[in-house]
C-alpha cells in the first residue's frame, strides 16, 4: 500500500540522492493499482527501465492513463497505433503470469513493442495526445497521481518519463501524500485537474490530437529549448542501467518480484488471467445458497468443469485451503480433468487414482497418513467411478481421510452415474460438500436412482440447483448456432422383410397391459437383431456419400461421423472399453471409411475403443491433417475439439444423454467457425397410416416417437427450424403424429 512507503522527510526526490526519482516511481508502481500521468516527453524506454514495478502493477490489474505531447519515437508511435487499432496478438501476454509480464517488459526488442501495443489494446495503457491550442509550444506537464484502493500520492517536478529523464538528467520531483496533514486538498485539486484533461477533456487551452498527428521527427527546436531527451541513443542508456539495478531499492524490488512469482507458482487461479462468466458466478451462488450441495444441469460445451472448479477456487479464497475429489466415468475424462485442474487452475498436489497411474494406491496411502498425523495439506484427487467404488480406494479413503470429510468437496462429473445400483452402495453421504455435473441428470427408466441422486445433492428433478440450458447458451453466444438437416433413409427390400419378420415374432411376447415386451433372453436377442437391421441399413452409407457430395469434398473438413454402435459400457463398473467386444463395430467403421475414401479420398481416422494413439489423432484433427473422425461412442465424452464444424449421426439411441452430448461437442465455440452443421439419418418406419395391423402400427409408432423426440429437440433450436419441421411433417402425418405440437412442448422445456 502507498501509505507503507518510506518517504523522504522533505517529500522531495532528487537525482543522485538516496531518494531519487527512479526510486519514487518504482516503489509507487509496486504499491498502487492506478496511475494518471501528465507528461512532457514520453518514451517507452521508461517502462523498460521500470519493468520490475510495471510487471507487478499490471499483474494486479493496474491501469495507466497518460496525457503526452505529440513527439514520440517511430517505434512508440507504431506501437500506440497498433494498440489503438487492436492489431495485436490476442494471447500475447497472460496477465496472471507475473514472470511472463516481467520478461516481456524487460527485453527492449521487437517483442517489447508488441507487448506495449497489447497493453494499449487491452486498456492497460490509455493515451491522450495533447498540444497547446495557441502558439508553437508543446505540452510539457510533469505531474501525476498514484492511487491504491485507499490513498493517493500526487507529484510534480522536472522529470520527463523517458530513459534519459530517469537516468541522466538532474531532476527533482516533489510528492504530496494525501495521508499527511496539509496535502489532502492539494491532491484533490490535482486529481480534478488531471481528470479534466484525461477523462473529461474539458481544458480550453488544449487541443486533442489523433495518432496521425504524432511527430516522429524530433530534431527541431521548440521555445528555444533543445529537445535532447529523445535524441539520446537509448542503447547507451541501457548499458548504464546495470548500475541502477545495483541500488538497494532495485534489489529489494527484484526480491519482492521473485517472492511473488514463487507464491503465484503454487497459488490457484482462474484460467488465463480471466474471470468466470456471469452464469458460472450464479452457479456458485446457488450452490452456496444450498449449503454447498447441488446438481448443475448445464448444456455440454458450456464449461461444466470450469464452473465446478470455480466453486473450489472461490472456497479456497475464503478458507485458504482446497481439498476435493473428482469422479469421472472414463480414463479419457481423467486426462481432461487433470489438464483443467493442474494447468488451467494451477491446483497443485493432485493425484490420479485409476489404471493410468499404477502407483495410485501408494500415493493415496501416503496422502492419507499426512492427514492422520495432522499435517495440513492441499490436495485434489481425480478418479473414475469404478476405482472409487473399489475395495482398495474405499479402504484407504474411509480409514485415513475421515477427519477431513467435512472439508472435502466431491465433484461428480456425468453425475447420473452416481444413481446406478452398483454405486448406490458406496454413495459418499459422509462428504458434506457436493457438486454434481450433467447435461442430462435424469436417469432413464430409473425412478429409484433419480430419487437417490436428487436426495444426495439436496435438490429435485423439477428444480435443479442451477440450470444453464442449450437454448440460453446459444442465445448468449456461449455455444455456436447450428443448422440441422434430418435425412430420411429407407430400408432396402430384404432389410425391410427381415425387420418385419423379427417384429412379428416380437409381437408374440408383447405385454399390452404394460406396453412393454416381456423380459427374456430370447426377446433381448430379437430386439438386438432388429436394432442391427436399422443400424446397418445399407442406404445410410449412400446418404453419407450424398451429403459429402452436397457439401463438396474439398469443403468437408473438421467432421465427426458417428457410425452405428452395438455395445453399452457401465461406467460404474468399468472405466475403459473392452476392446474384445468391438470387432464387429470395427468392421462396420472400416466399411464406411473404405466407401468414403473410394469416392472422395478423404483423410480419415477411426476413433474407437481399440484406438491406441487417440491423443495423436486428435492433434492431427485439430491441425487439419485429418478431414474426419469416425467413431461410435468414443467421441461422446472426454473429447474437446471445438474446431469441429460438421457432424453426421448415422444412428443415435433414444437416450437424451447420448444425443445431447454429441450435439454439445459440435457446438463448442471456435474462431475458425461461425456455425455448425448437423446431419441426422433417420430410417423411415416400415408402415404408414394405411396399414391395418393395429398392433404393428402401435409398436412402430412408439419406436418412431423415440427417434422423433431427438429430431424435435434438435430442430427447435436450429437456425432452420421451420424447414426442419416442414420436412418431417409428411412423415409424421403417416403415423398420425402432430409434429408442431411436439415442437411446442419441447420449446416449453426451455422456459
Amino acid at each position: 500500500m502507498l501509505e507503507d512507503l518510506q518517504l523522504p522527510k522533505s517529500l522531495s526526490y532528487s537525482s543522485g540522492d538516496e531518494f531519487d526519482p527512479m526510486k519514487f516511481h518504482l516503489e509507487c508502481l509496486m504499491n498502487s493499482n492506478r496511475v494518471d500521468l501528465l507528461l512532457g516527453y514520453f518514451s517507452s524506454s521508461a517502462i523498460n527501465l521500470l519493468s520490475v514495478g510495471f510487471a507487478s502493477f499490471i499483474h494486479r490489474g493496474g491501469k495507466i492513463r497518460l496525457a503526452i505531447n505529440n513527439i514520440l519515437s517511430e517505434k512508440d508511435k507504431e506501437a500506440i497505433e497498433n494498440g489503438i487499432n487492436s492489431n495485436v496478438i490476442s494471447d500475447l501476454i497472460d496477465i496472471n503470469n507475473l514472470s511472463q509480464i516481467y520478461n516481456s517488459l524487460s527485453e527492449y526488442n521487437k517483442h517489447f513493442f508488441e507487448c506495449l501495443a497489447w497493453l494499449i489494446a487491452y486498456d492497460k495503457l490509455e493515451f491522450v495526445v495533447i498540444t497547446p491550442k495557441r502558439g508553437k509550444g508543446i505540452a510539457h506537464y510533469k505531474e501525476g497521481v498514484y492511487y491504491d484502493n485507499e490513498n493517493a500520492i500526487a507529484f510534480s517536478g522536472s522529470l520527463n518519463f523517458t530513459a534519459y529523464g530517469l537516468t541522466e538528467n538532474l531532476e527533482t520531483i516533489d510528492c504530496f501524500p494525501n495521508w499527511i496533514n496539509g496535502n489532502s486538498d492539494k491532491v484533490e485539486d490535482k486529481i480534478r485537474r488531471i481528470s479534466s484533461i484525461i477523462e473529461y477533456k474539458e481544458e480550453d487551452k488544449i487541443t486533442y490530437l489523433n495518432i496521425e498527428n504524432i511527430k516522429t521527427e524530433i530534431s527541431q527546436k521548440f521555445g528555444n529549448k533543445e529537445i535532447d531527451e529523445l535524441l539520446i541513443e537509448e542503447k547507451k542508456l541501457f548499458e548504464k542501467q546495470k548500475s541502477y539495478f545495483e541500488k538497494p531499492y532495485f534489489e529489494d524490488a527484484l526480491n519482492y518480484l521473485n517472492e511473488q512469482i514463487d507464491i503465484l507458482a503454487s497459488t490457484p487461479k482462474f484460467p488465463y488471467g480471466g474471470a468466470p462468466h456471469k452464469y458460472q458466478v450464479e452457479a456458485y451462488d446457488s450452490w452456496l445458497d444450498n449449503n454447498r450441495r447441488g446438481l448443475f444441469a448445464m448444456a455440454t460445451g458450456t464449461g461444466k468443469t470450469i464452473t465446478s472448479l470455480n466453486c473450489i477456487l472461490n472456497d479456497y479464497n475464503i478458507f485458504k485451503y482446497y481439498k476435493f475429489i473428482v469422479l469421472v466415468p472414463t480414463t479419457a475424462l481423467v486426462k481432461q480433468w487433470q489438464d483443467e485442474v493442474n494447468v488451467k487452475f494451477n491446483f497443485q498436489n493432485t493425484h490420479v487414482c485409476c489404471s493410468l497411474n499404477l502407483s495410485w494406491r501408494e500415493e493415496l496411502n501416503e496422502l492419507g497418513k499426512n492427514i492422520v498425523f495432522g499435517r495440513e495439506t492441499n490436495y485434489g484427487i481425480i478418479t473414475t467411478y469404478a476405482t472409487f467404488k473399489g475395495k482398495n480406494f474405499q479402504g484407504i479413503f474411509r480409514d485415513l481421510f475421515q477427519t477431513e470429510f467435512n472439508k472435502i468437496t466431491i465433484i461428480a462429473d456425468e453425475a447420473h452415474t452416481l444413481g446406478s445400483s452398483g454405486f448406490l452402495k458406496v454413495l459418499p453421504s459422509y462428504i458434506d460438500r457436493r457438486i454434481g455435473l450433467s447435461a442430462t441428470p435424469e436417469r432413464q427408466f430409473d425412478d429409484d436412482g433419480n430419487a437417490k441422486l436428487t436426495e444426495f445433492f439436496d435438490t429435485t428433478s423439477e428444480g435443479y440447483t442451477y440450470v444453464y440450458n442449450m437454448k440460453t447458451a446459444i442465445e448468449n453466444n456461449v455455444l455456436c448456432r447450428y443448422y440441422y438437416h434430418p435425412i430420411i433413409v429407407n430400408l432396402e427390400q430384404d432389410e425391410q422383410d427381415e425387420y418385419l419378420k423379427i417384429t412379428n415374432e416380437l409381437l408374440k411376447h408383447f405385454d399390452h397391459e404394460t406396453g412393454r415386451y416381456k423380459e427374456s433372453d430370447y426377446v433381448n436377442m430379437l430386439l438386438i437383431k432388429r436394432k442391427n437391421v436399422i443400424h446397418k441399413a445399407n442406404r445410410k452409407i449412400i446418404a453419407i456419400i450424398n451429403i459429402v457430395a452436397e457439401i463438396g469434398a474439398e469443403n468437408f473438413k473438421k467432421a465427426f461421423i458417428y457410425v452405428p454402435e452395438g455395445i453399452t459400457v457401465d461406467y460404474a463398473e468399468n472405466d475403459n472399453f473392452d476392446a474384445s467386444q468391438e470387432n464387429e463395430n470395427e468392421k462396420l467403421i472400416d466399411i464406411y471409411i473404405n466407401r468414403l475414401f473410394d469416392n472422395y479420398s478423404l483423410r480419415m481416422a477411426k476413433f474407437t475403443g481399440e484406438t491406441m494413439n487417440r491423443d495423436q489423432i486428435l492433434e492431427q484433427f485439430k491441425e487439419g491433417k485429418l478431414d474426419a473422425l469416425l467413431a461410435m461412442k468414443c467421441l461422446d465424452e472426454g473429447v474437446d475439439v471445438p474446431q469441429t464444424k460438421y457432424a453426421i449421426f448415422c444412428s443415435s439411441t433414444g437416450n437424451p444423454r447420448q444425443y445431447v452430448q454429441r450435439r454439445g461437442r459440435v457446438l463448442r465455440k471456435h474462431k475458425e467457425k461461425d456455425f455448425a452443421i448437423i446431419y441426422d439419418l433417420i430410417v423411415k418406419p416400415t408402415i404408414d397410416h394405411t396399414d391395418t395391423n393395429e398392433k404393428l402400427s402401435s409398436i412402430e409408432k412408439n419406436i418412431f416417437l423415440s427417434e422423433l423426440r431427438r429430431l424435435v429437440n434438435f430442430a427447435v433450436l436450429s437456425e432452420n427450424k421451420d424447414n426442419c419441421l416442414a420436412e418431417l411433417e409428411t412423415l409424421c402425418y403417416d403415423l398420425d403424429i402432430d409434429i408442431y405440437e411436439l415442437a411446442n412442448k419441447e420449446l416449453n422445456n426451455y422456459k
Side-chain angles (χ1 to χ4, degrees), residues 2-16:
L2 290 171
E3 197 171 0
D4 297 327
L5 295 180
Q6 291 184 346
L7 303 173
K9 292 181 180 180
S10 65
L11 299 181
S12 181
Y13 288 76
S14 298
S15 300

Side-chain angles (χ1 to χ4, degrees), residues 712-728:
V712 171
N713 179 275
F714 276 50
V716 297
L717 298 183
S718 69
E719 295 295 285
N720 57 329
K721 176 182 70 174
D722 294 339
N723 289 339
C724 287
L725 297 177
E727 289 177 16
L728 295 170

Side-chain angles (χ1 to χ4, degrees), residues 40 73 694:
S73 70
E694 292 184 5

